[in-house]
Amino acid sequence: MKHPGRIEQHPVLGPRKQTQPITFTLNGQPILAYEGETIAASLLANGIRILRSHEETDAPRGIYCNIGHCFECRVKVNGADHVRSCLTLVKEGLAVETKGALPTPLKEEDKR
């Protein structure tokens, strides 16, 4: 099954390597992904751009750097907060949640 958001033929990297399809859930809904993809890549391929809300303003947040430097793509994975979706590979049965604001990743003393 092809998804309009999944890059099947990259101009530099060539064709996408054929891997096994797997399913994980996003807020309880099944998402088709492929082995070797990150959560962020599979969500983008499925047209999902908003991953959480800003802690203070409630503004929608999505993927920013996609290489693990920032924390914009944080999601909850199997109950664990602050998981960067751009660094986490999908696995069969993974439970990902994107609803609402996550607590700030900084400790109170780090904010001063």
Side-chain angles (χ1 to χ4, degrees), residues 5 8 19-20 24 27 42 50 52 54 57-58 65-66 69-71 75-76 81 89 95 99-101 110-111:
E8 298 290 340
T19 57
Q20 289 291 89
F24 69 98
N27 302 325
S42 59
I50 299 172
R52 63 182 185 87
H54 188 272
T57 65
D58 204 36
C65 75
N66 207 23
H69 285 284
C70 73
F71 287 85
V75 293
K76 186 181 276 192
D81 286 334
L89 296 178
K99 296 177 183 175
D110 293 338
K111 292 182 186 179

Side-chain angles (χ1 to χ4, degrees), residues 24-27 39-40 43 48 50-52 61-63 71-88 94-100 102-103:
F24 69 98
T25 61
L26 176 69
N27 302 325
I39 294 170
L43 293 178
I48 298 162
I50 299 172
L51 303 182
R52 63 182 185 87
R61 311 308 284 177
I63 297 166
F71 287 85
E72 292 301 312
C73 68
R74 290 179 291 134
V75 293
K76 186 181 276 192
V77 177
N78 293 339
D81 286 334
H82 308 304
V83 177
R84 285 180 280 184
S85 63
C86 70
L87 297 178
T88 308
L94 201 67
V96 178
E97 295 177 51
T98 63
K99 296 177 183 175
L102 292 174

Side-chain angles (χ1 to χ4, degrees), residues 33-55:
Y34 290 92
E35 286 181 348
E37 284 184 335
T38 63
I39 294 170
S42 59
L43 293 178
L44 285 171
N46 282 280
I48 298 162
R49 303 289 185 261
I50 299 172
L51 303 182
R52 63 182 185 87
S53 299
H54 188 272
E55 296 83 359

